[in-house]
Amino acid sequence: MVFQVSKKETVPIEGQKPGTSGLRKKVVVFKEPNYLHNFVQSTFDALPADQVKGATIVVSGDGRYFSEDAIQIIVKMAAANGVRSIWIGENGLLSTPAVSAIIRERIAADGSKASGAFILTASHNPGGPLEDFGIKYNMGNGGPAPESITDKIYANTKTITEYLIAEDLPDVNISVSGVTSFDGPDGKFDIDVFDSADEYVKLMKKIFDFASIRNLLSSPKFTFCYDSLHGVAGAYASRIFVEELGAKESSLINCIPKEDFGGGHPDPNLTYAKELVARMGLGKSPSQDEPPEFGAAADGDADRNMILGKRFFVTPSDSVAIIAANAVQAIPYFSSGLKGVARSMPTSAALDVVAKNLNLKFFEVPTGWKFFGNLMDAGMCSVCGEESFGTGSDHIREKDGIWAVLAWLSIIAYKNKDNDGGKLVTVEDIVLQHWATYGRHYYTRYDYENVDSDAAKNLMAHLVKLQSSLPEVNKMIKETRPEVADVVEADEFEYKDPVDGSISKHQGIRFLFEDGSRLVLRLSGTGSQGATIRVYIEQYENDPLKTGRDSQEALAPLVEVALKLSNMQGFTGRSEPTVIT
Ligand code: VG1
Ligand code: CO
């Protein structure tokens, strides 16, 4: 049978602008007639023709509710748009980093590679019939589509009149590996379903010294716990940590991927990763047992990571700095040196200090992983990170949750390599040692979720206006907390990409203080309703006697100043943030 291509009439649907990482909306919105179809056709139409016609495209995601329906629709639309092959992870499961790895590494029997991918995820947002779904497109380098493409997609969604679909193509069985071929008007169309983990595991084994990590995990002094929060990381955790590295099965919690993430919020932070946080001896009602030495968690699509020691939290900003400082010694992939390091603007300057000390190229980019890709493609950056629990390297073009855990395990193994009889060098020891060498960046983030959109916009506009008068800013600061230093510079962050010269404006409001402290405010681009205001607060301390304070206590004066300058309560009516990290 030869499948037929139908042209279906449609009309533009409002609000299909991709945010920080794709289009994220409630499932009920995605289920509205033509909602997904319009976005997918707009994406095909935004891509260069040779990346659609005759091309190979990956479609998979974190397995959240509505994924399978979406895959069947995208397959039929891809066939109708002249795509040659569709690659799907078994059960539609591929983590975001695994998709990136597949685009870069997987070679089909006929020698062809994928030119891009639809990734079906709303990442750390909850899933289920009443929760969120998401879709984004990654390009041939394995990284998120750049703004030039996402702008085009959005423009197309505003003018779309028809889409193409092969309605008579049967649904694919995505639960069994294998290739199924169909004949279409333009020739063959293949659907290739394959193991979700193989390619990714292979890549990890090229990067890390698995033998040394296995050795660490087998030591009675070392105990380990990994929490997938029922996200797609579960499809990799057992393969990597148990089968390859010899961890006990009981060290994995919530590692069965579920379409509603077990009703939880798959966001690896101190608020939402409750079970792990309690097990690690942190949180309000810590477990009675002796906590493990090392704990980690992932988000829904497994690109984020949270790193914990026994009763100890590692801030993501410190994590990337510590990985950068130890990468060359501890991780074989980096043994010939780092090409450079990069962080997103709101991420603390801990990485800057490492870069300066080790004489590494350093870049500060806007929030969102797409900005790191250009630097990596140009060979300018090896390790990068974001304060939002994202860490990664140029092995792929996405942040990588399991990679970060393996990086930490490698560092712990390295620090303990000559330590036969002695006490374990712990996560906490490694962080304290880092602060002693480089100083400490006290850091916290306040999130105000689901705030009225207009209130959020007004708050930001108020801050921009305030920035034009530093004397007024400093007067307000002195009236609030006299001990806080003066603001010496205030602006909206703007980024000029050093590789392609493209400019991104309005990337967050910054207040830079005389003593190196920073306040940053920006609106989230990943929410699905209302607005989320993020307030990032940072203070540097390099007096070794003062690096051991409680961070909320150390930052209290700056927090007060942030809330005062922004008039948070006045604009939003909120006296407390939703999440404090
Ligand atoms: C958030 C984070 C950002 C991250 C993005 C995607 O964006 O702040 O650092 O890159 O999520 O991560 P925003 O615009 O909401 O602040 V993920 O794991 O949700 O794909
Ligand atoms: Co994510």
Side-chain angles (χ1 to χ4, degrees), residues 271-272 446-450 574 576-580:
T271 305
Y272 294 127
Y446 279 36
D447 291 333
Y448 298 80
E449 292 176 354
N450 208 354
R574 301 281 179 91
E576 296 288 332
T578 329
V579 177
I580 297 180

Side-chain angles (χ1 to χ4, degrees), residues 29-43:
V29 175
F30 266 101
K31 280 186 169 172
E32 281 166 16
N34 294 347
Y35 194 92
L36 178 67
H37 303 76
N38 276 15
F39 189 78
V40 170
Q41 188 64 51
S42 297
T43 303

Side-chain angles (χ1 to χ4, degrees), residues 531-552:
T532 293
I533 304 171
R534 304 202 194 284
V535 186
Y536 310 81
I537 299 141
E538 167 185 356
Q539 184 179 317
Y540 183 51
E541 181 58 72
N542 66 356
D543 176 349
L545 295 175
K546 294 186 187 161
T547 54
R549 300 174 66 194
D550 172 76
S551 74
Q552 291 304 325

Side-chain angles (χ1 to χ4, degrees), residues 167-183:
E167 282 176 308
D168 55 355
L169 199 71
D171 278 359
V172 220
N173 179 357
I174 59 174
S175 63
V176 189
S177 283
V179 180
T180 318
S181 281
F182 297 94
D183 291 306

Side-chain angles (χ1 to χ4, degrees), residues 20-21 24 122-125 136 299 301 303-304 344 367-369 386-388 399 445 522-527 534 536:
T20 312
S21 183
R24 297 181 188 180
S123 192
H124 58 288
N125 299 9
K136 67 170 184 161
D299 71 337
D301 63 331
D303 57 353
R304 296 187 179 202
S344 68
T367 296
W369 211 260
E386 293 192 291
E387 50 63 44
S388 55
K399 53 188 185 274
R445 184 175 108 182
R522 56 180 284 284
L523 296 183
S524 157
T526 57
R534 304 202 194 284
Y536 310 81

Side-chain angles (χ1 to χ4, degrees), residues 147-181:
E147 281 184 337
S148 56
I149 296 281
T150 53
D151 287 350
K152 226 187 242 175
I153 296 173
Y154 181 46
N156 290 345
T157 67
K158 292 195 283 191
T159 55
I160 187 165
T161 56
E162 60 183 33
Y163 65 82
L164 303 179
I165 189 159
E167 282 176 308
D168 55 355
L169 199 71
D171 278 359
V172 220
N173 179 357
I174 59 174
S175 63
V176 189
S177 283
V179 180
T180 318
S181 281

